[in-house]
Amino acid sequence: MERNQKQTCPSCNSSNVVPIIYGMPGSDLEEQEQRGEVILGGCVVTDNDPDLCCKDCGREFHKEEGRG
């Protein structure tokens, strides 16, 4: 998938999808979350964490599941 290619939600087909960012956020990421540009996923990371979140239906999913 190209970086600028927009993903769509596999559940509702919405393109209102944002990345989920894991790890300790800095002030820049906190500001991006407040603007609704990203979701902060927390500091505990596993091998199977979702990459994206649909802001319309709330579905969290892996990039491979989305349609882009």
Side-chain angles (χ1 to χ4, degrees), residues 30-63:
E30 290 173 349
E31 291 172 7
Q32 287 179 340
E33 182 183 45
Q34 289 175 355
R35 291 191 302 263
E37 299 170 349
V38 300
I39 301 290
L40 297 180
C43 295
V44 178
V45 181
T46 70
D47 291 337
N48 197 30
D49 294 319
D51 305 303
L52 302 167
C53 181
C54 176
K55 292 178 63 180
D56 289 337
C57 74
R59 166 93 186 262
E60 294 181 349
F61 58 98
H62 297 277
K63 290 177 185 173

